[in-house]
Amino acid sequence: MEHPENNEAYKGLVVNAGIEQPSSVNPYLKRKAKKRQLTVSEFVEGIVKGDITILSQAVTLVESVKPEHQAVAQEVIERCLPYSGNSVRIGISGVPGAGKSTSIDVFGLHILEKYAGKLAVLAIDPSSERSKGSILGDKTRMEKLSVHPDSFIRPSPSAGSLGGVARKTRETIVLCEAAGFDKIFVETVGVGQSETAVHSMVDFFLLIQLAGTGDELQGIKRGIMEMADGIVINKADGDNLDRAKLAAAQFRNALHLFPAPDSGWTPQVLTYSGFYGLGIKEVWDMVYQYIDFVKENGYFEFRRNEQSKYWMYETINEQLRDSFYHNAKIESMLADKESQVLQGNLTSFVAAKKLLDTYFEELKG
């Protein structure tokens, strides 16, 4: 830039030329190229080799709602199926605050030390009804297990699915088994009597309870109590030991009132302390006694087959629901019918029937 002030005519007045302004972008910054998504063959090969990074990426695809991700995920799952089914699947549930995550940390270390092998923990975290987000903080309570070389911990959002079970947990189990994990823990949110979905994907359902959280009538509530293959009373230490023993006795009495399970196994009630690591061996001796018992009488395979059938029908129901709500004509009619129901001009049942009739007519067309 020329400065006339520097002309001979203006002696004694000098303006410096200045310097060129630097770029707003760091010239030394090296941008990383966008990572290429792996092919189906690369996913399967990596999973079978036990590559944790590739396994994590595959689980992310399974949980994705994008159609293109779902297409890849389903093909990966299908090709991993021959390598799956060789694990012991344990469902762990209980009321919030019962110490599920802390107990899993201790349980996991115990079975890895005693039974060797590899352990995968699928922790389901509740999703907010308002923001739809999840903290995914269960892993922070598994301090020792999270750094163990033979463990894999994957927190997943419940995404509003029934019983706090992530919609894709069953497919994730298949991937973990294909990666060589022979022990799978599924930790639920713990909302009480709606944990049916977890029960339908595990071999042993462990219910963690606390002493002093209700009277003896709490022990005879059906639903989750009937599903439990074993009940354990946590925090049986110090001043709480006697209360824990009393609660265990009440639960044992309550279990006698239920019909005998199809497996032929009599559910046991034990006490332990996850924080102090007391009674852990007895809990897992019970779990493996159950596994041996049901494998011997054939119920283990029967239950696995029943679960596969259950999830086939669940998938059909889910696909039909998605197809209905994503139908263009239904989407255009839905708000109008809802408005008529709210105004009292139409009953809920008539509105539903009209929407369904329209949907079926669309299918025929």
Side-chain angles (χ1 to χ4, degrees):
M1 181 179 177
E2 291 296 326
H3 290 277
E5 298 90 344
N6 292 337
N7 195 289
E8 287 287 332
Y10 301 99
K11 288 184 178 179
L13 180 64
V14 178
V15 178
N16 293 329
I19 59 171
E20 185 181 352
Q21 289 298 313
S23 170
S24 59
V25 179
N26 185 350
Y28 303 104
L29 178 67
K30 292 183 179 178
R31 293 185 180 275
K32 291 185 179 179
K34 192 175 180 182
K35 197 169 183 181
R36 176 184 65 87
Q37 183 175 306
L38 301 178
T39 64
V40 172
S41 298
E42 288 171 332
F43 269 120
V44 175
E45 186 181 348
I47 290 168
V48 173
K49 284 181 178 177
D51 189 315
I52 297 299
T53 303
I54 293 179
L55 172 62
S56 299
Q57 292 173 1
V59 174
T60 301
L61 279 186
V62 167
E63 293 176 351
S64 172
V65 294
K66 288 186 176 181
E68 59 269 27
H69 289 172
Q70 278 298 301
V72 176
Q74 291 308 314
E75 195 172 344
V76 170
I77 291 165
E78 192 173 339
R79 290 176 60 175
C80 284
L81 273 175
Y83 305 98
S84 66
N86 300 315
S87 74
V88 174
R89 306 165 184 170
I90 313 292
I92 299 176
S93 187
V95 295
K100 296 188 293 296
S101 298
T102 305
S103 297
I104 286 173
D105 194 34
V106 181
F107 289 162
L109 291 173
H110 173 77
I111 65 170
L112 286 175
E113 288 171 7
K114 183 172 181 181
Y115 300 99
K118 295 169 70 179
L119 168 69
V121 179
L122 309 179
I124 314 302
D125 203 55
S127 296
S128 167
E129 286 294 321
R130 292 184 179 180
S131 66
K132 309 301 179 186
S134 297
I135 297 174
L136 302 179
D138 288 328
K139 194 172 181 178
T140 60
R141 297 192 190 97
M142 305 175 196
E143 296 176 1
K144 296 176 183 175
L145 193 60
S146 61
V147 295
H148 197 287
D150 295 322
S151 73
F152 171 68
I153 303 174
R154 174 72 184 210
S156 299
S158 64
S161 55
L162 177 64
V165 183
R167 188 167 53 95
K168 301 297 181 183
T169 303
R170 184 167 168 81
E171 282 105 333
T172 304
I173 290 174
V174 171
L175 297 180
C176 289
E177 289 175 342
F181 290 93
D182 58 346
K183 300 167 189 66
I184 312 284
F185 285 177
V186 181
E187 180 198 356
T188 74
V189 172
V191 292
Q193 295 181 336
S194 58
E195 302 298 283
T196 311
V198 173
H199 184 259
S200 63
M201 66 174 78
V202 297
D203 304 314
F204 186 95
F205 191 74
L206 184 68
L207 178 61
I208 298 178
Q209 294 279 35
L210 291 173
T213 54
D215 56 28
E216 62 274 8
L217 289 175
Q218 296 295 103
I220 60 175
K221 286 187 175 176
R222 293 182 179 269
I224 194 169
M225 287 287 296
E226 286 184 316
M227 291 189 291
D229 299 305
I231 299 173
V232 289
I233 314 295
N234 192 12
K235 303 182 183 179
D237 50 61
D239 297 338
N240 204 43
L241 183 58
D242 290 337
R243 285 194 291 271
K245 288 181 178 178
L246 177 60
Q250 290 171 348
F251 278 115
R252 288 190 194 100
N253 292 335
L255 286 172
H256 289 305
L257 302 174
F258 293 160
D262 295 337
S263 62
W265 168 265
T266 303
Q268 298 180 27
V269 183
L270 302 175
T271 61
Y272 79 105
S273 171
F275 186 78
Y276 292 102
L278 305 173
I280 305 300
K281 179 183 180 298
E282 288 74 14
V283 171
W284 287 97
D285 285 348
M286 170 190 69
V287 172
Y288 278 92
Q289 282 171 17
Y290 170 85
I291 298 298
D292 292 340
F293 179 82
V294 293
K295 280 186 175 179
E296 190 175 335
N297 67 13
Y299 183 74
F300 186 88
E301 284 301 319
F302 170 78
R303 183 167 175 175
R304 286 271 177 106
N305 291 334
E306 287 294 303
Q307 289 173 351
S308 297
K309 184 174 75 174
Y310 171 86
W311 284 102
M312 181 188 78
Y313 286 111
E314 279 297 301
T315 305
I316 291 171
N317 292 337
E318 184 185 320
Q319 293 293 330
L320 286 173
R321 187 166 57 248
D322 287 347
S323 173
F324 176 81
Y325 284 111
H326 288 96
N327 182 283
K329 197 157 188 179
I330 296 300
E331 285 180 339
S332 64
M333 290 177 62
L334 209 52
D336 177 56
K337 296 301 178 191
E338 183 182 312
S339 176
Q340 289 186 49
V341 170
L342 292 175
Q343 291 171 9
N345 299 329
L346 208 62
T347 68
S348 306
F349 307 105
V350 171
K353 187 175 186 306
K354 286 186 176 181
L355 286 166
L356 288 169
D357 288 345
T358 303
Y359 175 69
F360 292 133
E361 284 298 322
E362 281 282 295
L363 291 181
K364 288 178 185 177

